[in-house]
Amino acid sequence: MKRLKQILISAIIIVSSSGCNNDFLDLKPQDAVSEANVWQDLNLIELYVNDRYNELPHGFPQWAGGLRMTGITDESYHMHEARFLDKYTQGGLTSGSLNMYYFNGFWLDAYSAIRNNNIFLENIALYSGEEVERVKQLTAEIRFLRAYFYTELISRYGGVPLIKETFSLDSNFDVPRASFEECVEFIVEELDLAIQDLPNKNEAVELEFGRITKGAAIGLKIRALLFDASPLFNISNDQSKWQLVSDACEELFNLSQYSLSTDYKGLFLNAMDPEVIFFKQFIDQYGFELVDVLSDFYFHYRGGHSIDEWRFPNGDGGWISENPRQEFIDQYETTSGVIPVLGYTGTNPNNLTPIINPNATNYNPGNPYQNRDPRLRYSVLYDGTVFKGRQLEFWNGGKDSRNTDVDFWWNGSVLGYGIRKSLDESWELNAGVASDQPWIYMRLAEFYLTYAEAQYHLNNFSTAVEYVNRVRSRTGVNMPPINASGDLLAKIKHERKIELAFEGNRWYDARRWMDAENDFAKDIVGVEVVRNPSNGSKSYRYFYFEGGTGKRSFPAYHYLWPIPIEEILKSNLEQNPGYN
């Protein structure tokens, strides 16, 4: 309980009585709160629960966004972390810390958080006060948090040890891995218990704003069931698992607490948007905190974030660290609903020829960002788009290029793009504080598309189409509807890829679909914008990017991560296939 005592010292002052009495030998510590006292005091219990929220990872860590998942997918290239990410993107993962520096720290952080959750659940019965309903809610929040970490663990490693109680000195520390199905069953049971005692979104207001709600718990249950139903884990294609996903989605929708946003660009800055289900606030948290644990040599992250500095274009003093890949940009349809570029040909890797889709009649190769899905300009920084009141200049010699004559050129994008989603355009270089926009874990559109996927597998094609089109027809996007003809599953996957771009979902989705062997193994394509100085006209040169992690591969054993070597050496845990 040392950590708990340290947390509470700053919040609690213990006042000792003056004078002499017969209990002068009954000494109490003057700089700490006893463990027994914590579970009798509702204020201390709430402080304990609040600190558990701080253990939640978010998608705005140092350097990268999306829990560093964006840069190891087909979405983007992370030019400032290539030396750490290349082991993953080039098929060289091992269980050692040098290979998993940015990733296996999650295993340790997750089980540390789970232990703290278990401490609460084992001790909360000691509370004998009158605030029974409040304690039920706090208990439900802890159950959610424990389920959250287990859901994230199984999505990375498959079945993991289910630690439901804290260890004592005489405990058996050699706990085997539970099966994936056992883990899902436990997560769902925990969340069903939590849902009973959590408030709805419309009740979590004022001082309760930002706390876990019923919708968040149902959303997490949907995610756990979705992993269980998907091809990576549902090898026999058991349709009953898709029915469970469908039922849980309907449970969420029936709350009638959420609606699609009418401001796709702005919703990522607004935790109060009606589409947002679960999010992390950053109140008075300015910048990140790196936790250096010398004993394990992994990266541990706490605190706030500086995502604007890390993603702003270099022309505005930012690092534009994550560069969307040209092949991903090509996936944004034209306003007529057609993917405009189907690939590239050419023997010269520095000058590729795009394969134009003949059905993309309103696509102009000379102005490739015109007549495109509006989500492209809401999500991506590209040449000519307006940002902070000016047109971005990614062309060679422009303000946002890597030309050595411009300021901050060394941070210029190497692929010709940056990520716009979640950026606060009011940010200024040297403003003195970090960023404070929320990290949005869940929003309604994700679960509309999950429901569509479940309905497809249940052969309810018209319903699947309906829910995809609800997302596409939202105000401000207004993309033409899809129909059930052709490969409907491919259309659902595509919509999910575009709608949820750069939010951390793509890594999970491509793996659970078992598409990553193909999608994540494609080499990176970039664009150079060439501007004619005499008339300002532009042309576009497409090239294979060979620097850093430009060459990509994804062996089948990468679908699951290796369990940290330290855990294997000190126990009898079974390592995932393909790792030694």
Side-chain angles (χ1 to χ4, degrees):
M1 297 301 295
K2 180 179 179 181
R3 175 169 170 77
L4 172 62
K5 292 176 182 177
Q6 291 172 337
I7 292 165
L8 298 178
I9 287 170
S10 61
I12 305 297
I13 300 176
I14 300 179
V15 180
S16 62
S17 61
S18 60
C20 298
N21 57 57
N22 294 331
D23 298 324
F24 71 95
L25 292 179
D26 185 16
L27 301 179
K28 295 182 180 180
Q30 303 301 299
D31 63 347
V33 177
S34 74
E35 184 172 340
N37 287 344
V38 169
W39 308 110
Q40 290 294 336
D41 188 320
L42 184 61
N43 289 328
L44 298 184
I45 292 171
E46 292 206 10
L47 283 173
Y48 187 87
V49 174
N50 291 347
D51 202 50
R52 305 287 69 77
Y53 275 79
N54 291 333
E55 292 169 333
L56 279 171
H58 61 82
F60 294 145
Q62 186 185 19
W63 311 108
L67 299 176
R68 293 194 178 80
M69 303 307 185
T70 295
I72 59 175
T73 72
D74 53 355
E75 290 182 322
S76 72
Y77 167 76
H78 198 302
M79 64 182 186
H80 288 140
E81 289 185 345
R83 66 191 185 280
F84 293 115
L85 303 188
D86 60 359
K87 302 296 190 302
Y88 189 96
T89 60
Q90 295 179 3
L93 280 189
T94 68
S95 58
S97 57
L98 291 179
N99 293 72
M100 292 293 288
Y101 172 72
Y102 271 148
F103 301 106
N104 264 348
F106 178 80
W107 175 284
L108 305 176
D109 290 341
Y111 274 108
S112 175
I114 288 168
R115 177 184 181 275
N116 290 333
N117 298 148
N118 287 340
I119 288 172
F120 178 97
L121 294 171
E122 289 174 4
N123 287 279
I124 194 59
L126 299 174
Y127 177 74
S128 58
E130 297 179 354
E131 300 292 335
V132 176
E133 293 304 312
R134 182 60 171 174
V135 168
K136 284 183 178 179
Q137 179 184 337
L138 295 173
T139 303
E141 292 176 16
I142 290 293
R143 290 193 185 279
F144 171 94
L145 292 170
R146 185 167 67 167
Y148 174 89
F149 282 103
Y150 274 121
T151 302
E152 290 294 318
L153 282 167
I154 65 172
S155 71
R156 290 162 169 77
Y157 301 100
V160 296
L162 282 175
I163 311 298
K164 304 177 186 179
E165 299 175 347
T166 56
F167 289 124
S168 61
L169 291 178
D170 57 352
S171 295
N172 177 13
F173 295 94
D174 191 12
V175 181
R177 297 174 66 172
S179 70
F180 183 84
E181 291 75 15
E182 288 171 333
C183 292
V184 172
E185 182 180 358
F186 173 71
I187 290 166
V188 171
E189 289 176 352
E190 287 288 282
L191 291 170
D192 281 338
L193 287 172
I195 290 165
Q196 299 175 30
D197 295 317
L198 288 170
N200 274 314
K201 178 179 182 177
N202 60 8
E203 299 169 303
V205 296
E206 297 180 350
L207 295 179
E208 294 296 290
F209 182 69
R211 303 197 77 89
I212 296 160
T213 62
K214 289 184 187 294
I218 298 171
L220 184 60
K221 180 169 71 169
I222 293 169
R223 285 184 175 177
L225 292 171
L226 180 62
F227 288 129
D228 192 34
S230 298
L232 179 61
F233 299 109
N234 187 12
I235 299 173
S236 64
N237 194 27
D238 182 351
Q239 278 201 314
S240 67
K241 295 188 175 185
W242 286 108
Q243 186 62 56
L244 292 174
V245 174
S246 176
D247 293 344
C249 286
E250 291 173 5
E251 182 181 3
L252 176 66
F253 304 156
N254 289 339
L255 292 179
S256 300
Q257 296 284 302
Y258 309 97
S259 60
L260 290 177
S261 177
T262 58
D263 182 11
Y264 185 87
K265 177 184 176 183
L267 81 88
F268 302 100
L269 303 177
N270 180 18
M272 299 182 71
D273 191 284
E275 184 168 337
V276 174
I277 296 173
F278 183 49
F279 61 95
K280 187 180 183 74
Q281 298 183 95
F282 300 94
I283 300 174
D284 297 328
Q285 286 183 287
Y286 299 121
F288 63 89
E289 173 190 351
L290 173 61
V291 180
D292 187 12
V293 182
L294 296 178
S295 61
D296 61 54
F297 301 102
Y298 294 119
F299 187 92
H300 302 265
Y301 183 88
R302 292 288 186 274
H305 66 89
S306 299
I307 197 63
D308 293 310
E309 182 178 21
W310 301 332
R311 281 184 175 172
F312 255 53
N314 58 303
D316 290 295
W319 303 353
I320 203 164
S321 297
E322 299 146 286
N323 303 169
R325 299 167 52 165
Q326 180 62 51
E327 325 92 278
F328 196 81
I329 301 300
D330 295 336
Q331 292 296 300
Y332 285 86
E333 300 171 357
T334 65
T335 51
S336 60
V338 178
I339 295 175
V341 177
L342 304 178
Y344 295 86
T345 62
T347 57
N348 184 353
N350 294 314
N351 195 3
L352 303 172
T353 301
I355 303 171
I356 308 299
N357 187 341
N359 296 319
T361 55
N362 61 340
Y363 176 70
N364 179 6
N367 191 356
Y369 312 117
Q370 185 182 41
N371 300 325
R372 301 291 290 275
D373 185 328
R375 290 173 291 188
L376 175 60
R377 68 175 180 269
Y378 298 149
S379 304
V380 177
L381 300 169
Y382 55 82
D383 183 76
T385 195
V386 177
F387 184 77
K388 287 185 71 70
R390 68 179 182 88
Q391 287 192 344
L392 295 183
E393 301 174 354
F394 284 107
W395 45 270
N396 188 20
K399 186 177 181 179
D400 306 292
S401 72
R402 291 183 68 86
N403 187 293
T404 56
D405 292 331
V406 304
D407 292 336
F408 307 107
W409 66 268
W410 54 89
N411 279 333
S413 173
V414 296
L415 299 183
Y417 300 103
I419 295 176
R420 182 176 198 160
K421 186 176 280 188
S422 296
L423 292 188
D424 180 357
E425 293 187 36
S426 68
W427 179 84
E428 298 287 346
L429 180 64
N430 300 323
V433 297
S435 302
D436 62 1
Q437 56 263 59
W439 173 254
I440 297 174
Y441 295 100
M442 302 176 191
R443 57 189 180 90
L444 183 61
E446 173 192 339
F447 300 108
Y448 274 0
L449 296 175
T450 298
Y451 188 61
E453 188 176 341
Q455 295 307 303
Y456 167 83
H457 286 284
L458 296 172
N459 297 315
N460 299 323
F461 300 144
S462 61
T463 304
V465 167
E466 175 192 347
Y467 276 80
V468 171
N469 287 334
R470 287 191 184 192
V471 175
R472 291 173 65 86
S473 65
R474 69 159 76 229
T475 301
V477 174
N478 302 117
M479 286 295 288
I482 67 165
N483 55 48
S485 65
D487 190 341
L488 178 56
L489 181 59
K491 294 178 182 179
I492 296 170
K493 290 180 178 181
H494 179 269
E495 186 62 24
R496 194 173 178 99
K497 180 192 301 185
I498 297 302
E499 172 67 22
L500 305 177
F502 315 119
E503 297 177 42
N505 298 72
R506 177 66 181 153
W507 181 77
Y508 298 92
D509 284 342
R511 289 171 50 254
R512 66 180 180 82
W513 290 328
M514 299 194 75
D515 291 343
E517 285 175 85
N518 177 62
D519 293 350
F520 291 178
K522 296 176 181 177
D523 294 341
I524 295 174
V525 176
V527 63
E528 179 191 18
V529 183
V530 181
R531 182 177 180 271
N532 187 323
S534 62
N535 60 17
S537 64
K538 297 175 182 177
S539 59
Y540 303 86
R541 180 182 69 86
Y542 301 97
F543 60 92
Y544 279 121
F545 177 68
E546 301 294 341
T549 57
K551 302 291 289 183
R552 296 287 175 106
S553 63
F554 191 95
Y557 64 87
H558 275 193
Y559 278 114
L560 296 177
W561 277 356
I563 293 174
I565 187 63
E566 295 85 353
E567 300 299 309
I568 299 296
L569 293 176
K570 68 185 181 185
S571 68
N572 291 321
L573 285 182
E574 180 183 357
Q575 182 60 277
N576 280 325
Y579 303 105
N580 48 34

